[in-house]
Amino acid sequence: MRRIAVTVNGQRHEVDVEARDLLVHVLRETLGLTGTNVGCDTSTCGTCTILVNGESIKSCTMLAVQADGQEITTIEGLATNGTMHPMQQAFTENHALQCGYCTSGMIMAAVSLLKDNPHPSDHEIREGLEGNLCRCTGYQNIVKAVQAVASGT
Ligand code: FES
Ligand code: FES
């Protein structure tokens, strides 16, 4: 076991992890942050997407020990004082989710996308989110939600 220190959603945690533990499992099982989902075992679905130092990553592709000293944001950390993040609000208003399983990862990836490219085209949104799979919505409403945030509507 090795002790790591991570700041998650602004709160510092020290946790003991095994060298083989994936970050997604430590977030879900040790820290109880179950908004980050596991949807595959091939690193293809994106449901596990979080921000590490502001950049989106698939937390099933990162060992927990690699997160030592890093700043992490999960879906639970996006809202401020009970007010949803604009991206969460836009997903709700644009019906960008059905079962919701992919949604937390999709939202984290979309937040990161707009940070890098505040005014993307529809094509750039689809390209930017291609690592996140949704089996329900057909993506059109997801693109609409991201555009709504980008345009401030
Ligand atoms: S759980 Fe599917 S990409 Fe991480
Ligand atoms: S809303 Fe169901 S997988 Fe995306």
Side-chain angles (χ1 to χ4, degrees):
M1 298 294 270
R2 177 169 151 198
R3 177 152 295 203
I4 62 166
V6 283
T7 302
V8 184
N9 302 332
Q11 204 178 340
R12 185 184 151 88
H13 299 270
E14 289 192 12
V15 288
D16 293 323
V17 299
E18 289 189 41
R20 62 184 176 159
D21 285 343
L22 296 176
L23 180 56
V24 65
H25 293 135
V26 171
L27 291 172
R28 287 179 54 84
E29 288 154 31
T30 309
L31 300 180
L33 296 168
T34 53
T36 303
N37 292 321
V38 178
C40 72
D41 55 11
T42 51
S43 303
T44 47
C45 75
T47 63
C48 62
T49 305
I50 59 168
L51 305 182
V52 177
N53 302 325
E55 298 296 324
S56 68
I57 71 132
K58 293 179 176 179
S59 58
C60 73
T61 65
M62 188 170 184
L63 293 168
V65 289
Q66 293 174 299
D68 191 17
Q70 312 295 317
E71 187 112 10
I72 291 168
T73 307
T74 68
I75 191 74
E76 290 90 344
L78 276 194
T80 318
N81 299 327
T83 303
M84 282 195 282
H85 184 282
M87 193 64 76
Q88 293 173 303
Q89 189 71 40
F91 266 62
T92 306
E93 288 170 1
N94 290 279
H95 310 289
L97 62 146
Q98 288 183 29
C99 80
Y101 203 81
C102 67
T103 305
S104 52
M106 198 68 81
I107 287 175
M108 300 311 282
V111 167
S112 174
L113 169 73
L114 286 195
K115 188 168 73 69
D116 294 338
N117 180 4
H119 299 291
S121 65
D122 285 4
H123 177 72
E124 287 170 329
I125 294 172
R126 287 177 186 274
E127 215 171 53
L129 298 180
E130 70 183 0
N132 292 70
L133 304 181
C134 176
R135 294 155 180 88
C136 302
T137 68
Y139 301 97
Q140 188 52 41
N141 288 348
I142 292 170
V143 173
K144 262 172 67 185
V146 178
Q147 284 295 19
V149 179
S151 64
T153 55

